[in-house]
């Protein structure tokens, strides 16, 4: 009994000691990595596999940096080669966790248009351009979006100032647009106009890949 009592007291002292040490360590912990919030997702095809030239793949990472900047990386393949691909952070600003549309969001016509996808991934929070403005105003600035290489790959990284993107980094979807449905090497009006504007072909704005929290 005596031995057991001493042992229990020693254990209690050891626990108290650890508790104090732990508290002291935590109070001095200034590890900056704890302030970096980063979110990584797979990019999956939005369209059914029966839609020609639509089955790409990839990955993305959204990082909210401590200095208020946002860094977005996109690695994708299987995209229309040699053509620009509009890319955006989609979501809503009330922190709701949206998701990605699947082929069933096609509104009955076999194609998930930009507008068909809005109830799933939300509106445009930021445009993932290669230079200049990143706001919604650049949503269709095809001269400033990444161009897929001859093998249909995009490798994109940009760090930019955007308060809306930073505040919603944890719930945003990354959407990559542009599918050369008829495989003729250009975005043409063969499949009609974009659901957003008659000035752009559907091929240029149709969502190809999507990734986000609720996948
Ligand atoms: Cu978009």
């Amino acid at each position: 009994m005596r031995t057991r009592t001493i042992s229990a007291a020693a254990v209690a002292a050891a626990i108290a000691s650890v508790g104090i040490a732990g508290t002291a360590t935590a109070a001095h912990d200034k590890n900056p990595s704890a302030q970096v919030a980063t979110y990584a997702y797979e990019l999956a095809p939005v369209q059914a596999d029966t839609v020609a030239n639509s089955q790409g793949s990839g990955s993305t990472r959204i990082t909210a940096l401590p200095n208020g900047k946002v860094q977005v990386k996109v690695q994708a393949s299987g995209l229309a080669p040699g053509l620009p691909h509009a890319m955006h952070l989609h979501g809503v600003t009330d922190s709701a966790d949206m998701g990605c549309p699947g082929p069933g969001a096609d509104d009955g016509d076999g194609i998930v248009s930009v507008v068909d996808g809005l109830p799933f991934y939300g509106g445009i929070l930021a445009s993932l351009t290669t230079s200049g403005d990143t706001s919604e105003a650049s949503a269709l600035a095809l001269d400033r979006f990444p161009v897929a290489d001859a093998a249909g790959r995009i490798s994109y990284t940009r760090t930019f100032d955007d308060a809306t993107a930073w505040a919603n980094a944890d719930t945003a979807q990354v959407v990559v647009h542009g599918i050369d449905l008829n495989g003729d090497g250009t975005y043409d009006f063969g499949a009609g106009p974009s659901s957003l504007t008659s000035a752009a072909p559907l091929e240029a704005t149709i969502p190809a890949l999507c990734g986000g929290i609720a996948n």
Side-chain angles (χ1 to χ4, degrees):
M1 285 300 290
R2 176 177 173 80
T3 301
R4 184 173 295 172
T5 302
I6 291 171
S7 178
V11 169
I15 290 171
S17 173
V18 168
I20 291 167
T23 300
T25 300
H28 294 279
D29 186 0
K30 298 295 184 188
N31 180 2
S33 67
Q35 300 172 25
V36 176
T38 188
Y39 308 91
Y41 313 106
E42 294 299 308
L43 291 171
V46 172
Q47 308 297 329
D49 60 11
T50 49
V51 175
N53 306 316
S54 70
Q55 301 297 294
S57 62
S59 60
T60 186
R61 179 181 295 275
I62 306 169
T63 304
L65 297 165
N67 62 3
K69 292 179 184 289
V70 178
Q71 182 184 74
V72 179
K73 295 187 176 187
V74 176
Q75 299 281 339
S77 61
L79 297 168
L83 294 176
H85 290 271
M87 311 195 304
H88 313 112
L89 296 183
H90 281 258
V92 294
T93 55
D94 63 2
S95 295
D97 190 357
M98 307 292 277
C100 289
D106 69 352
D107 201 22
D109 61 1
I111 294 286
V112 181
S113 70
V114 172
V115 171
D116 288 337
L118 290 177
F120 296 85
Y121 44 58
I124 293 172
L125 300 175
S127 297
L128 301 175
T129 53
T130 54
S131 65
D133 176 64
T134 58
S135 77
E136 185 178 5
S138 295
L140 294 177
L142 288 181
D143 58 331
R144 288 187 290 113
F145 282 112
V147 176
D149 68 14
R153 292 176 304 223
I154 279 176
S155 182
Y156 170 90
T157 301
R158 188 172 179 193
T159 303
F160 54 97
D161 278 302
D162 189 309
T164 301
W166 191 90
N168 296 281
D170 57 339
T171 58
Q173 281 62 239
V174 172
V175 181
V176 180
H177 301 262
I179 299 173
D180 183 12
L181 293 165
N182 59 5
D184 68 351
T186 65
Y187 293 140
D188 60 65
F189 283 85
S194 168
S195 58
L196 289 177
T197 169
S198 59
L202 178 145
E203 286 190 341
T205 64
I206 183 175
L209 302 174
C210 180
I213 289 278
N215 278 345

